[in-house]
Amino acid sequence: MDKKQQIVQRLTETDGFVSGQELCRMLGVSRTAVWKNIQKLKEEGYPIEAVTNRGYRLLSMQETDVFNREQIAGKLRTAWAGRPIVFTEETGSTNDDIFALAAQGYPHGTLAIASRQTSGKGRRGRSWISPPEGNIYMSILLKPDLRPDVTPMLTVVMALSVYQASLEQLTDIKEPAPGTGTAQHTCRFGIKWPNDIVVSLEDGPYRKLCGILTEMRMEDNEISAITIGVGLNVNQTKLDPEIAQNATSYALALGKKVNRAALTASIWNHFEENYNIFTQTEDFVNLRPAYEAGLVNLGRHVHVLDPKSPFTGIAAGINERGELLVQPDEQGEKPSGASGSPIAGTAPAGAGLFIDPERPLIAVGSGEVSVRGVNGYV
Ligand code: BTN
C-alpha cells in the first residue's frame, strides 16, 4: 500500500481529526511529505479538511466521486472480472489498451480504465467523445472458450449488466416501480436494443447514457482476445452539441453526483454473474426475461435500418440469440392497437402497440443493422 492509501485508510478509521504528527510517525516521513500527499489526495477528489493544531479529517464520502483503482477494487465482489485493474489518467482508447495488455499476457478479466480518452472509438467507425469531466471509459479483456458466432451476444450481456447497475442508482428513492423513481421527478432507465443504455425524465424522450463497443482478435481461426468497451456519461453536466439532442448523463438524469467507483464496481459485479449464466448455455435463454424487463423498444414502432432491405414494424422482444424480434408492418398500413396481444414493457408514452399472433416475426441481428424509433431515437 502506498503512502497516500495508508493516509486514506487511517482517516477512514476515524470520524475525527488525525494529527499531522501521528501521520508522520506512521509513515516515517516529514510533515512536508505528509502535506504533499494530502494535496495529491485532494486533487484526486478526496474531501479532506485540514485544520491548524488539529490535523486532517476525511469528510463524508457520500456523493463524492473519488475515482481510482483502490476505490473500485474495494467495492468489487467478483472472482475474475476487474482483476487486475489497470487505471490510467489518459489514454487513446481503452479497447486498444486491452489488446496491448493481452499481448503482454494479462489474464481474462483484466480491466483497463481511463479518466479520459484521446481517440475513443464508437460503433460503426464513429468516434466516442471522451472528455475528462467525470465520465467512465473502460474495457475488459475476455479470453473465452466460445464460438466466434456467439460473441455478438456478449455485447447484449454487457448492456444488461449496465442496466442493472443503473437501477441501483435509484435505491435512495422511495418505493420505486421497476426501473422508475419518484423523488423529485420520474427517472426511468432502459435498454435500447441491442446495447445502448438510455434514460427518460418525466416520461420525456429517451436519451443515451452509455455506449458499448465489442472487438475481437482471432489467431488460427480461434478467438485470442475479446474486449468489451463501455463508455458512460456520468458526472458530465455539459454535453457536446453534436450529441446533446439524443444523449444525457447520470448526473443530469438523477439530479445528483454519482460515485463512479461504486457504479463501475456494480457493473462488473453484475457482468460476472450474467456472463457465468450466459456461458452455461452460450445463448440468451436464461437472461432474456431480465433483458426484456428493461427493453424500451418493446411494443414500439421501430425502423430497422438494414442497408439491404430497411423496413418498419413493432418490436416484440428478443430471441435466445439476443436478436430483436420485429413484426413488419403490413404494406400500406400503420400499426394500431386494434387487435392481437398487448406487449408489456417498461416503455412510457408511445409503447403498447399490438402484435398479431397470426403474423410472423423477423429476427434482426445486431451486426450491420441498427434500429431507431419511427418517431425519434427510441
Ligand atoms: C457506441 O458507439 O455506442 C459505442 C461507444 C463505446 C465507447 C467505449 S469508451 C471505452 C471503450 N474505448 C473505446 O475506444 N470505446 C469504448
Side-chain angles (χ1 to χ4, degrees):
M1 207 189 296
D2 71 7
K3 293 201 167 34
K4 283 188 300 173
Q5 286 315 311
Q6 289 181 56
I7 294 175
V8 171
Q9 193 179 52
R10 180 67 193 96
L11 295 182
T12 313
E13 284 165 7
T14 172
D15 283 341
F17 284 89
V18 178
S19 71
Q21 206 178 12
E22 181 187 332
L23 293 175
C24 292
R25 259 202 317 271
M26 186 184 91
L27 301 173
V29 297
S30 67
R31 271 178 181 266
T32 316
V34 166
W35 183 84
K36 279 188 182 159
N37 278 297
I38 295 273
Q39 295 315 305
K40 282 192 206 143
L41 286 167
K42 282 177 157 182
E43 281 162 27
E44 287 175 24
Y46 285 92
I48 298 174
E49 185 187 21
V51 174
T52 318
N53 294 331
R54 297 187 77 184
Y56 301 101
R57 181 167 69 133
L58 190 61
L59 302 172
S60 165
M61 291 290 278
Q62 241 180 10
E63 302 221 355
T64 62
D65 181 31
V66 180
F67 193 48
N68 59 30
R69 194 171 58 81
E70 291 75 19
Q71 285 294 318
I72 300 162
K75 296 174 174 64
L76 278 179
R77 287 184 278 103
T78 58
W80 53 265
R83 297 184 190 276
I85 295 172
V86 179
F87 194 102
T88 44
E89 277 308 314
E90 180 180 300
T91 189
S93 154
T94 53
N95 272 25
D96 293 346
D97 291 349
I98 281 295
F99 290 123
L101 293 168
Q104 290 170 44
Y106 272 75
H108 175 82
T110 299
L111 186 60
I113 309 189
S115 295
R116 71 162 87 173
Q117 297 183 120
T118 50
S119 0
K121 299 188 284 185
R123 293 176 77 205
R124 298 175 208 293
R126 288 191 282 259
S127 57
W128 184 257
I129 303 170
S130 311
E133 289 99 16
N135 292 337
I136 301 175
Y137 312 106
M138 61 185 176
S139 307
I140 195 165
L141 170 60
L142 301 176
K143 296 180 172 174
D145 190 13
L146 292 173
R147 294 193 319 271
D149 64 303
V150 167
T151 57
M153 281 186 263
L154 288 173
T155 309
V156 184
V157 175
M158 189 71 237
L160 171 62
S161 313
V162 177
Y163 168 67
Q164 291 166 330
S166 302
L167 292 186
E168 284 170 14
Q169 294 295 325
L170 298 170
T171 47
D172 56 346
I173 292 167
K174 285 194 188 90
E175 297 177 13
T180 70
T182 50
Q184 289 162 352
H185 51 230
T186 308
C187 177
R188 201 185 295 257
F189 287 103
I191 309 168
K192 175 183 173 288
W193 183 88
N195 57 11
D196 285 348
I197 303 307
V198 293
V199 69
S200 153
L201 281 188
E202 314 291 9
D203 287 345
Y206 278 107
R207 292 205 159 85
K208 179 165 166 172
L209 288 164
C210 161
I212 299 171
L213 176 69
T214 299
E215 296 184 274
M216 179 166 72
R217 292 278 191 276
M218 304 277 294
E219 261 169 41
D220 302 326
N221 280 332
E222 285 192 358
I223 299 169
S224 60
I226 290 179
T227 185
I228 311 180
V230 189
L232 302 109
N233 301 335
V234 187
N235 288 321
Q236 187 180 1
T237 47
K238 273 201 184 132
L239 292 156
D240 201 277
E242 217 182 290
I243 59 168
Q245 198 185 345
N246 288 332
T248 187
S249 69
Y250 283 80
L252 288 170
L254 295 162
K256 65 169 188 180
K257 198 167 189 176
V258 167
N259 184 294
R260 282 177 291 169
L263 180 59
T264 301
S266 169
I267 288 171
W268 298 111
N269 291 338
H270 283 291
F271 179 78
E272 183 171 298
E273 208 177 314
N274 291 329
Y275 180 91
N276 291 342
I277 295 172
F278 170 75
T279 49
Q280 276 165 18
T281 56
E282 296 195 3
D283 67 21
F284 233 68
V285 87
N286 295 318
L287 294 173
R288 183 158 69 177
Y291 183 90
E292 285 186 342
L295 183 63
V296 296
N297 308 93
L298 212 54
R300 282 179 172 250
H301 198 200
V302 295
H303 214 134
V304 178
L305 302 168
D306 185 334
K308 289 189 202 114
S309 50
F311 66 96
T312 55
I314 303 169
I318 59 164
N319 64 12
E320 69 291 345
R321 294 184 52 78
E323 296 164 332
L324 187 69
L325 298 171
V326 180
Q327 184 157 82
D329 297 340
E330 284 184 303
Q331 289 288 315
E333 258 191 45
K334 280 199 177 152
S336 75
S339 64
S341 328
I343 298 287
T346 58
L353 295 174
F354 289 80
I355 294 294
D356 182 346
E358 307 278 298
R359 293 184 36 234
L361 299 171
I362 293 182
V364 178
S366 60
E368 280 310 304
V369 176
S370 68
V371 163
R372 285 275 176 284
V374 165
N375 297 314
Y377 174 57
V378 170

